[in-house]
Amino acid sequence: MVEIYLFVNPLDERCLLSEQRFLKAIENEHTKVYLKLIPVLNPLIIHHYLIDNNYPTNDLVFRNHLIETVYSACLDVKAAQLQGKKMERKFLFHLQDLVGKKKMAYSEELVDMILTKINADKETFKLDRQSKLIKDFFKTDQQIANEMGINRFAKAVIFNYDCTRNFGVLIDAFSSTDLIKQLLKVEHTQTSCAKLLEY
């Protein structure tokens, strides 16, 4: 069995591309692969995001708006998740496509449009979205990200329980499909597993 934790920005096109790459890499795997998409947000990640995208790092108004917007989108994703993993992924992919790729402004109206398009239960979503449970889920995600040393969007941690390696491997989510597939392989010797860390 393999567990993949993929830490993403719910409003970013590059993260959408990384998610699609992982889904393609695991679609023909014979071993069980659990892909967990985790919307993540903290000040260090935002700082790196600003630098990576050539945004001003000293514009506090822009930075605060970005943090508020990504935070709101993270809660939206967690609320959609309560209607099932498939619904969560549909919602996340549409949100990233419309905001990240097509440059539509994130808004409640846009979220409502996506919910309609994916046939989500909008009333349940609205109730869930305002609940303390959603914020608690978000906090748990951030604790996981912190424990795994995530400091940028689109990072992945892969735990391969069919390998003698007894720890997760942190990689850039834009790593090659070949590397991802290699990390998913069933390995039976410590030597063959250790080699993967050289990438």
Side-chain angles (χ1 to χ4, degrees):
M1 183 184 83
V2 176
E3 277 186 311
I4 302 173
Y5 293 78
L6 183 52
F7 298 91
V8 301
N9 177 345
L11 301 175
D12 185 65
E13 177 188 9
R14 292 182 74 237
C15 287
L16 173 60
L17 295 174
S18 74
E19 292 150 19
Q20 292 169 339
R21 174 172 290 175
F22 271 83
L23 287 170
K24 184 174 182 180
I26 67 178
E27 66 183 353
N28 295 318
E29 285 297 314
H30 298 296
T31 188
K32 281 189 176 180
V33 180
Y34 295 95
L35 176 63
K36 300 179 181 181
L37 301 176
I38 301 181
V40 65
L41 175 68
N42 66 45
L44 182 57
I45 287 175
I46 288 295
H47 182 71
H48 284 149
Y49 180 76
L50 293 171
I51 292 171
D52 293 343
N53 290 277
N54 297 314
Y55 293 132
T57 58
N58 56 355
D59 185 337
L60 292 181
V61 173
F62 179 79
R63 180 189 290 260
N64 289 337
H65 176 71
L66 178 63
I67 290 172
E68 289 171 9
T69 305
V70 174
Y71 174 67
S72 182
C74 286
L75 296 185
D76 290 337
V77 172
K78 300 312 292 182
Q81 187 183 63
L82 288 185
Q83 296 188 38
K85 291 283 186 184
K86 287 184 179 179
M87 192 65 74
E88 174 202 23
R89 287 185 185 180
K90 284 182 185 178
F91 179 84
L92 177 61
F93 295 166
H94 275 85
L95 189 59
Q96 290 169 323
D97 178 62
L98 293 175
V99 177
K101 186 175 181 180
K102 296 178 180 170
K103 308 304 179 190
M104 294 178 68
Y106 170 81
S107 65
E108 287 185 18
E109 291 75 22
L110 181 69
V111 169
D112 189 72
M113 183 184 81
I114 294 171
L115 293 172
T116 299
K117 190 168 186 176
I118 65 175
N119 295 315
D121 184 329
K122 290 199 280 188
E123 290 306 312
T124 299
F125 176 89
K126 288 174 184 175
L127 289 173
D128 290 337
R129 178 64 172 75
Q130 301 303 318
S131 71
K132 181 180 179 295
L133 182 64
I134 292 301
K135 291 178 181 176
D136 289 343
F137 284 158
F138 172 76
K139 287 178 184 176
T140 299
D141 284 348
Q142 307 324 297
Q143 289 170 355
I144 292 170
N146 185 55
E147 289 169 4
M148 293 186 180
I150 305 303
N151 59 14
R152 276 184 162 84
F153 289 122
K155 292 285 184 180
V157 177
I158 300 176
F159 291 91
N160 186 340
Y161 300 106
D162 294 324
C163 174
T164 54
R165 182 177 59 244
N166 61 355
F167 48 85
V169 177
L170 172 65
I171 64 170
D172 190 286
F174 303 106
S175 298
S176 70
T177 302
D178 287 341
L179 173 60
I180 296 168
K181 286 185 175 182
Q182 192 173 358
L183 287 167
L184 301 181
K185 282 183 182 176
V186 174
E187 301 283 3
H188 298 290
T189 66
Q190 187 65 41
T191 304
S192 59
C193 285
K195 287 180 181 176
L196 299 177
L197 299 178
E198 296 173 6
Y199 289 92

